[in-house]
Structures are given as structure tokens and as C-alpha cells.
Amino acid sequence: GRTWQRRESNTDDPLHAIWFASNTEGWIVGWKGVILRSTDSGKTWQHEQSTTNKTLNSLWITRGRIPWVVGESGLILKYERN
């Protein structure tokens, strides 16, 4: 059968949403502007630079793999790839 496997997020802050853009690339958002990104199917998570310390509630990733995030006080963030 299938089982749940624990993964470490490297943060103690509450996490609110997760979304995978592909089989390998995933994103998590949460409290105080926390944004985490995985490029290895969620085995490890790295902190991404956030421009806010407001709570981030949800995210969505377009077909073009561009993450959008919404948070408290009407905040909207769009990820810009360099």
C-alpha cells in the first residue's frame, strides 16, 4: 500500500498552501511571507526571497510555470524568473 512520508520544511512558521508546477518543482507559502521552493520532488525545500512579511495564504502556478501568491491585506505577488 501507500504511506505518507515526512519531509522537512526547514521552517517553524505555519505553512498554508503547496503547489507543484511539475513532478520536480514545488512551492509552499505561509506565515510572515514564507516562500519555499523544491526542485527535487519535495525531498528538500529552500527559502526563496520574499518581498513581504505578511501572511501568504494561497498560490497558483500558470501553465507557463509562473507562480502567483495571494496574502493578507489584498497582497498579490508574481514570481519573476531571472
Side-chain angles (χ1 to χ4, degrees), residues 6-78:
R6 184 178 176 91
R7 302 287 191 219
E8 294 301 323
S9 65
N10 298 317
T11 184
D12 291 329
D13 293 323
L15 304 174
H16 294 251
I18 186 170
W19 191 291
F20 274 80
S22 68
N23 287 340
T24 57
E25 182 183 19
W27 296 82
I28 296 174
V29 297
W31 199 53
K32 293 196 279 186
V34 166
I35 300 176
L36 304 174
R37 181 180 182 206
S38 175
T39 57
D40 60 6
S41 302
K43 292 178 182 137
T44 60
W45 294 91
Q46 297 77 39
H47 284 266
E48 286 285 319
Q49 182 68 31
S50 175
T51 58
T52 185
N53 60 4
K54 294 184 178 185
T55 296
L56 304 176
N57 297 314
S58 186
L59 74 151
W60 183 75
I61 300 175
T62 68
R63 288 185 185 171
R65 295 180 46 195
I66 298 172
W68 287 80
V69 175
V70 294
E72 70 175 311
S73 303
L75 178 69
I76 300 172
L77 299 175
K78 178 186 175 191

